[in-house]
């Protein structure tokens, strides 16, 4: 069994320093790894990234993250990644990592992902260049997620995204904004590996649990959804 | 062109300010117009952010009572794990 802690949408800034730390220091008792599902900052500034590093870095378990849309707002995501990496937080974007745990080798592949919507109500790469660019951004992200997942050599495989791969975990959000919250293309990528578990954030008013068409369990760990410092998933071999 | 005298435009303008203002960056707030007052709902990470949001929204509805029903999300350790066998 591999114990996975996960949270997203923590939106760190100086006003939150120390808020998560007491619960994070207890992580080695209950988890082998911490996954951060994007929107780690409010605007993607270097100062906010330093707050993330201070709050979530230097833990006794590996910390693996993807960025979210907020982390891109300052147009300097590379600087955010650099600051996080310096504190030992590994940021994935179209890439994967395998870590050894007492319960086996855990593979994590991650992308931020993007929107577009879900089957029957999704955007198409058609018409204006802006529309085609929007959809192709998601297509590209999903392709990179699929490839990264398939390349992992591990015992259990987890997909980590910011945007949602299924509509199930968006229940509670206004239907009108589903296309801005995720895409079925991410779900299709997760099923292509397949993953044993998919973790995402972004949907603050969504719900916690869902499943892909291929049967992969999906968990929305946006902080306002889980209402704890993190969720813990005990993932057994044969899950998924 | 602004038509902030109409509540619907005021609500849209307030929502965009919450998302786009550098000091706030909140996208998940719900602004409900009800019987002449405005209720703000949502979840944020600190009391400071909660109060700032209410202050900004109130500026868009100068003739309405604004009720702040925003909650600060808890950050305790979870009591149990989910078993995925």
């Amino acid at each position: 069994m591999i114990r996975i802690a996960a949270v997203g949408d923590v939106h760190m800034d100086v006003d939150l320093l120390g808020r998560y730390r007491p619960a994070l220091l207890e992580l080695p008792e209950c988890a082998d790894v911490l996954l951060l599902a994007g929107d780690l900052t409010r605007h993607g500034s270097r100062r906010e990234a330093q707050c993330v590093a201070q709050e979530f870095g230097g833990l006794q378990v590996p910390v693996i993250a993807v960025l979210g849309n907020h982390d891109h707002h300052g147009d300097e995501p590379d600087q955010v990644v650099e600051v996080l990496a310096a504190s030992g937080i590994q940021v994935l974007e179209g890439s994967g990592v395998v870590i050894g745990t007492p319960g086996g080798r855990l593979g994590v592949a991650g992308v931020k992902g993007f929107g577009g919507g879900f089957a029957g109500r999704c955007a198409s790469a058609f018409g204006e260049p802006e529309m085609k660019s929007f959809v192709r951004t998601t297509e590209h992200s999903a392709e990179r997620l699929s490839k990264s997942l398939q390349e992992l050599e591990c015992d259990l495989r987890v997909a980590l995204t910011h945007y949602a791969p299924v509509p199930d975990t968006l229940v509670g959000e206004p239907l009108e904004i589903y296309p801005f919250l995720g895409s079925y293309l991410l779900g299709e990528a997760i099923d292509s590996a397949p993953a044993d578990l998919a973790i995402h954030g972004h949907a603050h008013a969504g719900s916690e649990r869902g499943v892909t068409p291929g049967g992969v369990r999906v968990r929305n760990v946006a902080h306002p959804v889980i209402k704890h410092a993190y969720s813990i998933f005990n993932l057994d071999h044969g899950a998924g | 062109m602004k038509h902030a005298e109409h509540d619907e435009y005021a609500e849209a303008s307030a929502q965009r300010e919450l998302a786009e203002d550098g000091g706030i960056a909140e996208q998940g707030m719900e602004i409900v117009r009800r019987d002449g007052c405005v209720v703000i709902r949502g979840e944020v990470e600190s009391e400071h952010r909660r109060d700032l949001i209410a202050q900004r929204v109130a500026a868009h509805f100068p003739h309405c009572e604004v009720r702040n029903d925003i909650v600060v999300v808890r950050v305790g350790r979870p009591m149990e794990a989910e078993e995925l066998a």
Side-chain angles (χ1 to χ4, degrees):
Chain A
M1 180 182 74
I2 299 177
R3 305 171 306 165
I4 299 164
V7 64
D9 307 82
V10 294
H11 297 289
M12 285 296 299
D13 202 341
V14 289
D15 60 332
L16 302 187
L17 280 174
R19 182 165 145 77
Y20 285 85
R21 200 67 182 175
L24 293 172
L25 291 175
E26 296 184 33
L27 272 175
E29 300 168 20
C30 57
D32 302 307
V33 62
L34 172 65
L35 306 183
L36 299 176
D39 276 5
L40 312 178
T41 66
R42 299 174 85 184
H43 321 93
S45 72
R46 191 174 184 87
R47 181 190 73 177
E48 292 165 352
Q50 286 165 343
C51 294
V52 178
Q54 188 174 331
E55 195 75 0
F56 290 87
L59 298 174
Q60 296 302 307
V61 298
V63 182
I64 301 167
V66 293
L67 299 187
N69 54 312
H70 280 247
D71 307 316
H72 279 256
H73 185 68
D75 296 326
E76 48 184 20
D78 291 346
Q79 285 207 29
V80 173
V81 171
E82 181 185 305
V83 171
L84 299 185
S87 73
I89 299 172
Q90 182 161 4
V91 181
L92 303 178
E93 180 52 48
S95 54
V97 61
V98 177
I99 58 170
T101 79
R105 294 170 303 161
L106 174 68
V108 182
V111 293
K112 174 178 65 64
F114 202 45
F118 300 92
R121 296 166 179 81
C122 62
S124 299
F126 181 84
E128 302 92 328
E130 294 85 353
M131 197 65 203
K132 287 182 281 203
S133 173
F134 177 81
V135 174
R136 285 175 181 154
T137 298
T138 311
E139 288 175 340
H140 180 58
S141 183
E143 285 163 11
R144 302 212 309 157
L145 177 62
S146 176
K147 185 169 183 288
S148 302
L149 280 168
Q150 292 180 41
E151 286 175 353
L152 293 171
E153 292 188 10
C154 56
D155 300 309
L156 288 169
R157 190 178 275 118
V158 172
L160 178 62
T161 62
H162 180 60
Y163 284 78
V166 294
D168 310 25
T169 47
L170 303 183
V171 173
E173 296 280 3
L175 281 170
E176 295 88 340
I177 67 169
Y178 276 29
F180 301 106
L181 297 176
S183 165
Y184 81 94
L185 292 167
L186 298 171
E188 198 169 31
I190 288 163
D191 279 338
S192 74
D196 297 287
L197 175 67
I199 299 285
H200 75 87
H202 194 42
H204 292 205
S207 47
E208 205 166 350
R209 298 174 184 177
V211 65
T212 66
V216 178
R217 281 174 285 199
V218 178
R219 296 295 180 264
N220 175 7
V221 296
H223 183 220
V225 171
I226 64 173
K227 303 186 194 312
H228 289 99
Y230 42 81
S231 287
I232 302 168
F233 307 103
N234 292 339
L235 189 60
D236 223 332
H237 296 266
Chain B
M1 183 182 292
K2 301 284 186 186
H3 294 278
E5 67 269 24
H6 298 294
D7 283 351
E8 193 164 327
Y9 294 132
E11 177 188 338
S13 179
Q15 288 282 14
R16 285 197 60 183
E17 182 179 336
L18 295 183
E20 296 170 8
D21 183 279
I24 303 176
E26 292 284 353
Q27 291 186 288
M29 295 299 108
E30 187 181 7
I31 299 172
V32 181
R33 290 171 274 127
R34 179 182 291 165
D35 296 336
C37 78
V38 172
V39 182
I40 317 166
R41 296 195 194 116
E43 290 176 310
V44 296
E45 293 287 335
S46 74
E47 292 178 4
H48 170 72
R49 296 184 190 186
R50 179 191 64 192
D51 296 343
L52 183 59
I53 289 166
Q55 185 185 345
R56 294 296 185 87
V57 172
H60 289 266
F61 296 93
H63 306 299
C64 294
E65 176 192 354
V66 174
R67 297 179 187 165
N68 184 350
D69 198 23
I70 302 170
V71 174
V72 178
V73 191
R74 299 184 294 272
V75 286
R77 175 181 164 175
M79 298 303 290
E80 55 191 24
E82 181 181 357
E83 304 292 335
L84 296 174

